[in-house]
Amino acid sequence: MWFPLFVNLKNKKVLVIGGGKVAFKKIIKIMEYEADITVIAENIAEEKLLELKNLKIENNRKIENNKDEIEKLVKEYFFVIAATDNEELNENIAEICDSKGIL
């Protein structure tokens, strides 16, 4: 069962994993809330993403579907968005974040 929640993202560390259209749309929305956004992607497929300012981008970084690696990656973030084209990886990221209390 889902509960509606309002969160202040100003200056909060947000991680977006993925560099495609879905990631771009989510980043554009989150930027409105003045979050500190980092993008990690194996490949930035959405070129418009590279034009955005106030964004940290780690391109050409492959994220292995490995629990330990994902835990290390997400541990310092308040909010994580899994926007890869790998459904299993997205689910694992979500499960790990949920188990760590990360939105």
Side-chain angles (χ1 to χ4, degrees):
M1 186 146 68
W2 295 93
F3 179 80
L5 178 69
F6 294 90
V7 177
N8 180 0
L9 292 177
K10 187 172 184 172
N11 299 321
K12 297 278 193 319
K13 292 184 71 154
V14 174
L15 174 63
V16 178
I17 302 172
K21 288 181 182 180
V22 171
F24 178 75
K25 286 175 21 178
K26 293 185 183 287
I27 290 165
I28 290 295
K29 190 63 180 171
I30 292 169
M31 288 182 88
E32 295 175 22
Y33 298 95
E34 300 177 40
D36 177 10
I37 305 170
T38 299
V39 179
I40 295 177
E42 183 174 355
N43 178 34
I44 300 294
E46 187 63 42
E47 292 295 320
K48 292 184 282 187
L49 192 58
L50 298 171
E51 298 169 11
L52 297 176
K53 296 186 187 323
N54 300 322
L55 195 63
K56 297 177 201 105
I57 299 177
E58 291 184 36
N59 196 6
N60 300 318
R61 180 169 173 192
K62 183 172 174 73
I63 305 301
E64 297 295 330
N65 198 356
N66 172 289
K67 183 179 185 232
D68 292 334
E69 182 180 337
I70 294 169
E71 283 180 353
K72 286 179 197 172
L73 181 65
V74 301
K75 71 180 179 182
E76 64 184 72
Y77 292 92
F78 174 77
F79 181 35
V80 175
I81 296 174
T84 74
D85 58 1
N86 182 327
E87 189 174 325
E88 184 180 338
L89 175 59
N90 290 343
E91 287 176 16
N92 286 337
I93 293 167
E95 286 175 14
I96 290 166
C97 287
D98 188 44
S99 74
K100 301 291 181 191
I102 300 169
L103 298 176

